[in-house]
Amino acid sequence: MQAQGLRAPVTTLTKFHQSTHQRLYIMKEDPPPEPRRWEEDGGLMDSGVSIGGLDYSTSGPNHGSVIVGMLKVGPKNLFVMDANNRQLQVTPLCVLDFYIHESFQRRGYGKRLFDFMMTMENCTAASLAYDKPSPKLLSFVKKYYGLSEFLPQNNNFILFREYGLEQIAADATFIGRKMRHIAG
């Protein structure tokens, strides 16, 4: 919340269970092998490990795994304006929430998670809509996917120029995204 300047969490378990057609991708990191040291009595002693302020434990079902980040996506029916001031109705797959813990940022985890989602969803970064993207997310998609030009929308979603709103004909339907021209 703090990293994105939000007043409340975007994703909660309750909200996620109430929504339909949304998918949550969660990335976890297993702890590194724990260092061991010899004690004076001749036995091996395990030491605790802390990485990035997160403590790993060797007890419990996950054996010290930590959540590195999460990415929530789902289709949304959106009314958007293209550069020609046409109002269109589109139903793209949307990035609804994307977060990598601060201690794991700038280490490739976000790109790995985002690429995994795109493989599973059979999409590209340009074919997605983004819900209220933070400056960090805009910088991320520019750096890794070359996306920077977009038209701001009244609904707080953005579609990048590469989405191709200008090429959409009235009453056109495309695989992966439904589109309809709305008479204005």
Side-chain angles (χ1 to χ4, degrees):
M1 281 183 2
Q2 287 176 323
Q4 296 173 304
L6 301 174
R7 285 178 261 128
V10 173
T11 300
T12 65
L13 196 54
T14 302
K15 286 181 186 177
F16 184 71
H17 281 300
Q18 292 171 347
S19 61
T20 59
H21 308 295
Q22 291 183 355
R23 289 162 301 282
L24 187 62
Y25 293 89
I26 298 174
M27 178 179 266
K28 72 177 185 87
E29 178 73 13
D30 292 326
E34 292 194 23
R36 296 175 179 249
R37 66 171 194 248
W38 280 105
E39 290 295 312
E40 287 184 24
D41 62 6
L44 273 177
M45 181 76 167
D46 289 335
S47 339
V49 176
S50 176
I51 296 177
L54 301 173
D55 291 323
Y56 291 99
S57 163
T58 55
S59 61
N62 293 324
H63 302 290
S65 296
V66 295
I67 301 296
V68 170
M70 50 78 75
L71 174 57
K72 182 173 72 169
V73 297
K76 290 284 185 182
N77 189 31
L78 304 175
F79 291 93
V80 296
M81 298 294 285
D82 70 6
N84 301 318
N85 288 323
R86 294 183 306 158
Q87 186 178 27
L88 301 167
Q89 182 179 2
V90 296
T91 308
L93 182 65
C94 300
V95 174
L96 303 170
D97 198 3
F98 181 40
Y99 178 73
I100 301 295
H101 189 275
E102 287 86 1
S103 64
F104 289 94
Q105 291 178 6
R106 291 182 169 74
R107 293 172 45 192
Y109 290 101
K111 174 118 172 43
R112 285 180 30 217
L113 180 57
F114 211 87
D115 286 348
F116 179 80
M117 175 276 298
M118 290 190 302
T119 298
M120 297 305 294
E121 299 291 339
N122 193 28
C123 67
T124 65
S127 68
L128 298 165
Y130 298 81
D131 185 13
K132 298 178 208 129
S134 68
K136 281 186 175 183
L137 179 55
L138 292 174
S139 177
F140 174 85
V141 295
K142 181 178 182 179
K143 177 180 179 179
Y144 292 113
Y145 307 106
L147 302 173
S148 60
E149 295 179 34
F150 61 90
L151 283 173
Q153 301 291 327
N154 290 333
N155 58 13
N156 293 319
F157 280 83
I158 67 164
L159 293 160
F160 286 95
R161 180 182 54 79
E162 291 82 356
Y163 187 86
L165 288 176
E166 285 71 30
Q167 287 77 39
I168 297 171
D171 299 320
T173 302
F174 292 84
I175 296 173
R177 48 187 172 162
K178 295 185 279 183
M179 299 168 202
R180 184 170 55 125
H181 179 73
I182 308 299

